[in-house]
Amino acid sequence: MPKLSLRHIILHRRIGLFWTGAIVGLVAPWLVTAPVSWSFAESDPQVCTVNSIYDGDTMRVTCSGQKMKIRLYCIDAPEIAQRPWGQESRDYLRQIAGKRVRVVPRTTDRYGRTVGEVWSLDDEGEQGTLNMAMILAGHAAVYRKYCGDPAYDDAERFAAGGRTGIWSREGQHQAPWVYRKR
């Protein structure tokens, strides 16, 4: 399957340009003031190599020689056992992530993972946040318990309105937090 960039995904939506502008307008001020609680080594400060992607919201990376587990901020992807959504979500993240990413840490979760926003990098530079791409493509839901950013809610409404991915049919399969409590 060919690798799709976030740019490709957004441009081929019915009203992708409108939503892109709206989301950038909502997210940009937040990114400028986002607190960073994680420091990188001085050289190549935030560029990381993707080692593996376990599921649709968790990856292992190496940044400046330091290995870490990253949990994507603001999203909750279906668990692998939530068939078929869990595997589809993981495979989609693998497809769009690429080999290099830029991580903007937000916090650390109770499991010791760095929670942050992750940008895909390729030869042309940044391709957009994987976090938002997962929501827009319908491969993850907004994890409202840990996310107060309205741009993610807007992106989820767009995906649900287009009935993409987890929103293509009715049911609780969209709620990984419900599935985990079974």
Side-chain angles (χ1 to χ4, degrees):
M1 184 175 252
K3 180 181 175 195
L4 299 175
S5 68
L6 177 58
R7 184 180 307 144
H8 177 79
I9 295 163
I10 293 171
L11 291 176
H12 289 88
R13 298 281 182 196
R14 286 174 276 153
I15 54 173
L17 291 175
F18 169 79
W19 281 104
T20 301
I23 290 168
V24 167
L26 289 170
V27 173
W30 171 77
L31 289 175
V32 171
T33 61
V36 175
S37 60
W38 184 39
S39 62
F40 290 90
E42 289 296 317
S43 63
D44 208 12
Q46 296 180 329
V47 175
C48 306
T49 301
V50 176
N51 300 327
S52 64
I53 295 176
Y54 175 72
D55 61 19
D57 55 29
T58 309
M59 62 175 52
R60 290 185 186 275
V61 300
T62 301
C63 305
S64 301
Q66 182 180 7
K67 293 184 182 212
M68 43 192 62
K69 196 169 187 180
I70 306 293
R71 172 75 161 76
L72 274 63
Y73 173 73
C74 262
I75 76 169
D76 199 8
E79 299 299 319
I80 291 295
Q82 283 181 269
R83 301 206 186 267
W85 308 114
Q87 290 179 352
E88 287 182 13
S89 178
R90 178 204 56 207
D91 293 346
Y92 187 75
L93 183 57
R94 284 177 176 171
Q95 181 182 10
I96 65 172
K99 299 284 185 199
R100 295 180 320 125
V101 294
R102 182 170 68 91
V103 178
V104 176
R106 305 280 297 163
T107 189
T108 301
D109 70 9
R110 63 183 174 175
Y111 303 109
R113 299 176 296 191
T114 298
V115 179
E117 288 191 282
V118 181
W119 275 259
S120 176
L121 300 175
D122 66 13
D123 295 336
E124 298 173 18
E126 285 186 8
Q127 295 301 308
T129 69
L130 299 176
N131 312 52
M132 190 64 75
M134 293 297 288
I135 297 291
L136 283 169
H139 288 292
V142 176
Y143 205 1
R144 286 177 183 82
K145 182 176 179 181
Y146 300 104
C147 181
D149 186 341
Y152 283 90
D153 291 323
D154 292 342
E156 183 179 89
R157 278 192 291 277
F158 177 73
R163 301 186 60 82
T164 59
I166 60 176
W167 308 108
S168 63
R169 58 183 162 181
E170 303 281 328
Q172 281 297 310
H173 56 274
Q174 301 96 331
W177 51 89
V178 172
Y179 180 85
R180 286 190 295 269
K181 290 184 180 181
R182 290 178 162 188

